[in-house]
Structures are given as structure tokens and as C-alpha cells.
Amino acid sequence: MAVCGRPSLTASTMWNAPRGHIGLCSVSLFLLLLLAACTGGEKMRMELVLAEADSMNRGYISLASSDSILTEATHYYDRHGTPNQRARAHYLLGCAYRDKGEAPQALECYQQAIDCADTTAADCNFRLLMSINGQMAELFHAQNLPTDELPCWKRYCINADKARDTLEYIRGLELSILS
């Protein structure tokens, strides 16, 4: 029998074994294997949730109906994820709130995403930080808050520079001048 797509011990294997060969330790092992198999399934499910949300966001498809599953994924990555994964989960949850028209919640998620990022790490995703700051600047622009918008465009440029993306750096400078 397979549990969560993985072969494991079955109840019939345990109960049909000769008396004395399957004890409490084996039952505990069976439960641990079951838990590990399902936990691995949860990890895969959360990776798929973020991949699908990321794909929808890049395709300009609304994430408005995805906020509950993205909240679940965000909680999962807050417990089990790397700084980049946590930042990405919070960013995508912010995008869901943005698509629902809930700017305050979106801004809160974007700020949490920035707080999750480890900018001292060699694998820091500066492109993601650039996108987060760009989304924040767009929301502030839509609310006619140029004093909040301008620092976001400046951080957008800083992250574009760290991501070695000259075109986005120039775009950020242009947008900061126009704001």
C-alpha cells in the first residue's frame, strides 16, 4: 500500500506477522513513516500552490480567489521555509489581496515579505525584492501618496542594481521621477 504516493508498511503486514515480531516499536515506526510521508506531501502541495500562484501572477491572472490557500502556504513557509520561500509566499499573498482591492492588507504582506528576506545571504532574491517594492509603489501611487511611493521606487532601483538588471534600474529611475 502507498501512503501519500510512497510505499510503506501496511496494517495487514503488521497484524499478519508472527506473534512477537511486530511490537510497539514497529507500530511507532509505522506511524512515523506515515507522518513523514504525509508531511512530504504537504511540502509538495505548498510548492505547487506557490508555483501556480506565481504563474498566475506573471500571466496577469487575478489571484483574488486564492487568498485562503495562499494564507495556508504562507503559514507553512513561515514554519518550514527558507528566507526566500517565506518572502515569496508573503509576496504572493499580498498580490492576492491587491487583486481583491484590499490595499492595506496587500501592503502589510509586502512589508512582511521584505522583512523575511535575508539580504546578507548569497542567494538573496533581489529580483523578488525589486518586484515587491514596485508593487508597493504602484499601490501608493493609486492612493495618491507620493511621499510613500518615492522611497519604494528608490528601493526598487537599489534591488534592481543588486540583481544586475540595468533595464529595470532605469525603469525605476524613470518611474520615481514621474511620481
Side-chain angles (χ1 to χ4, degrees):
M1 180 171 128
V3 177
C4 297
R6 295 183 181 164
S8 64
L9 294 173
T10 63
S12 63
T13 305
M14 289 176 29
W15 302 127
N16 294 332
R19 205 174 270 265
H21 287 95
I22 300 292
L24 186 57
C25 291
S26 296
V27 173
S28 298
L29 178 62
F30 173 73
L31 293 174
L32 285 172
L33 288 171
L34 178 66
L35 180 63
C38 290
T39 303
E42 182 182 20
K43 178 182 178 187
M44 183 176 289
R45 188 170 74 85
M46 293 302 143
E47 288 173 1
L48 290 172
V49 165
L50 287 190
E52 182 179 356
D54 203 20
S55 177
M56 290 172 66
N57 191 46
R58 290 173 194 245
Y60 300 100
I61 299 170
S62 176
L63 294 172
S65 63
S66 303
D67 63 324
S68 60
I69 189 69
L70 286 170
T71 300
E72 185 181 339
T74 301
H75 290 307
Y76 174 82
Y77 282 109
D78 280 342
R79 290 186 316 269
H80 303 292
T82 66
N84 284 336
Q85 290 170 325
R86 288 193 302 269
R88 182 174 169 222
H90 282 279
Y91 167 67
L92 290 169
L93 180 58
C95 291
Y97 286 129
R98 173 205 63 206
D99 291 348
K100 288 179 80 169
E102 298 177 7
Q105 290 91 342
L107 289 167
E108 182 179 337
C109 287
Y110 292 149
Q111 188 58 53
Q112 289 170 346
I114 290 170
D115 294 342
C116 288
D118 181 5
T119 57
T120 62
D123 68 339
C124 181
N125 189 346
F126 289 106
R127 184 168 298 283
L128 176 62
L129 290 173
M130 181 181 68
S131 296
I132 294 167
N133 282 293
Q135 290 294 323
M136 290 177 77
E138 296 282 340
L139 285 174
F140 287 131
H141 182 79
Q143 296 173 6
N144 198 24
L145 296 169
T147 55
D148 293 324
E149 178 186 359
L150 190 56
C152 291
W153 285 125
K154 287 182 180 180
R155 288 191 306 270
Y156 180 94
C157 291
I158 290 167
N159 289 307
D161 185 44
K162 290 180 179 180
R164 301 186 195 286
D165 191 332
T166 307
L167 184 61
E168 290 300 324
Y169 180 84
I170 293 169
R171 179 175 175 264
L173 284 177
E174 177 185 17
L175 290 168
S176 68
I177 292 169
L178 296 175
S179 63

